[in-house]
Each structure stands twice: as C-alpha cells, then as structure tokens.
C-alpha cells in the first residue's frame, strides 16, 4: 500500500506593501511644494468698492447744484449696458445674445456677441456724455462671471473708470 501524499494547495504569496515609507515620501513631497510655492501677485484682482454710507447721489441732472454744498455730489451714470445671454439649455451663460446700451436719448440694440464691438460703440457715445467716467452694467442672472468680466473690460477700454452694477434684467 502506498501512501499518496496529498499536496496542499500552494499558498499564494500576497505582496507586502510597506506603507510607512510611502507616507514618509508623500509628506516630504508635500513639504517641498508648500515651501517652494510662490503665489503670483495680484492676479485677477479687481477694484470693486461699495458706496460710502454718506455718499450723495443726484437722481436727475437738474437736481445738481455743485455750488450749494461742500459735499461732492456725484452725477448718476448716464449709460447702462445690458448684457443678455442665450437661454437654449446648452449655451446658457456662455454666449451673449446681444447688448443694449441705454442712454437718456433712448436705447441702442447691438446685435453682436463680440465685446470689442461694444467697446467701439461706447467710445463713440462717450464724447456726448456729461458724466464720462461712470457706467452701469445689468446682466442676466445666468451670465457666467468670466463673461461679465469681459463686458467690464470692454467698458474700461472705452474709457469708463467707474463701473457699477444694476439689478439683473431677468
């Protein structure tokens, strides 16, 4: 009688992962990037100021008498740019559907998606204004912030220094 030897199933060797050296290396790399990080100065900074508590605004040009008060009286913005976006479910907030430039003489519709055309139009009408520094923006709620910045840049390139915001048009 011969005895058969039953072979045991070979035990599979599981890989051994030493976790401590990997954590040490990860913390060293993290420390390296923290120490060598150099943030860029003032990138994307915008000057936006809220009106002062006692700031005086005239509602109409006729109400302004600069000699009657020692407080600086600010004229209201004569120009309002209304930026609208398409509402098609795909390009919401990304693509302009056009610009309206509202003046006391009446609104002007610009059927363009290019903010450069807005800049050119604003340069043309700026010479006819009494308040050549202030402008007001009104945008759709769904308009993406980077597109609002493009409209602000267009206004600055046209020569307007103070950009204010009105309530959304939608």
């Amino acid at each position: 009688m011969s005895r058969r030897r039953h072979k045991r199933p070979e035990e599979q060797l599981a890989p051994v992962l030493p976790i401590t050296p990997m954590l040490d290396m990860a913390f060293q790399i993290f420390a390296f990037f923290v120490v060598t990080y150099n943030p860029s100065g003032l990138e994307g900074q915008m000057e936006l100021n809220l009106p002062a508590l006692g700031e005086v605004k005239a509602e109409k040009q006729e109400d302004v008498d600069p000699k009657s008060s020692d407080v600086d009286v600010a004229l209201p913005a004569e120009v309002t740019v209304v930026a609208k976006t398409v509402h098609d479910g795909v390009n919401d907030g990304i693509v302009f559907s056009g610009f309206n430039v509202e003046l006391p003489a009446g609104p002007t519709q610009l059927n363009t998606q290019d903010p450069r055309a807005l800049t050119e139009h604003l340069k043309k009408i700026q010479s006819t204004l009494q308040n050549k520094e202030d402008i007001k923006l009104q945008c759709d709620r769904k308009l993406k912030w980077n597109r609002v910045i493009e409209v602000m840049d267009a206004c600055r390139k046209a020569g307007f220094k103070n950009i204010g915001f009105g309530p959304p048009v939608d």
Side-chain angles (χ1 to χ4, degrees):
M1 210 179 204
S2 71
R3 287 190 169 190
R4 290 188 184 180
R5 284 181 121 191
H6 292 285
K7 288 186 177 180
R8 286 191 212 171
E10 291 183 24
E11 294 180 17
Q12 293 180 352
L13 297 175
V16 178
L17 295 174
I19 195 79
T20 305
M22 287 192 285
L23 284 174
D24 288 343
M25 191 59 154
F27 283 120
Q28 287 177 4
I29 292 172
F30 177 70
F32 170 78
F33 284 113
V34 167
V35 170
T36 60
Y37 177 69
N38 185 15
S40 60
L42 304 178
E43 181 177 327
Q45 181 177 355
M46 297 181 296
E47 291 185 31
L48 300 174
N49 297 322
L50 295 174
L53 183 62
E55 187 172 345
V56 179
K57 292 275 186 184
E59 292 191 23
K60 298 178 186 172
Q61 178 66 31
E62 298 82 35
D63 296 340
V64 177
D65 184 14
K67 297 176 184 172
S68 67
S69 174
D70 59 346
V71 177
D72 289 336
V73 179
L75 298 176
E78 295 177 67
V79 183
T80 300
V81 175
V82 180
K84 296 182 181 178
T85 184
V86 295
H87 296 281
D88 62 359
V90 177
N91 296 315
D92 289 356
I94 299 171
V95 177
F96 292 114
S97 65
F99 302 101
N100 285 342
V101 179
E102 297 177 357
L103 295 166
T108 303
Q109 173 80 27
L110 299 178
N111 294 322
T112 180
Q113 297 178 356
D114 189 7
R116 292 179 292 204
L118 175 64
T119 301
E120 294 304 316
H121 181 72
L122 291 175
K123 283 181 182 178
K124 289 177 189 173
I125 64 169
Q126 189 179 25
S127 62
T128 65
L129 302 173
Q130 288 183 349
N131 185 354
K132 297 180 187 327
E133 294 185 352
D134 295 340
I135 192 166
K136 185 168 70 170
L137 297 182
Q138 289 183 292
C139 303
D140 275 347
R141 284 182 211 271
K142 292 192 176 195
L143 189 63
K144 301 289 182 189
W145 186 244
N146 64 332
R147 302 301 272 172
V148 174
I149 299 298
E150 288 179 21
V151 177
M152 289 174 64
D153 288 342
C155 295
R156 287 219 188 264
K157 288 176 184 174
F160 292 96
K161 296 178 183 175
N162 304 320
I163 301 173
F165 291 96
V169 293
D170 51 350

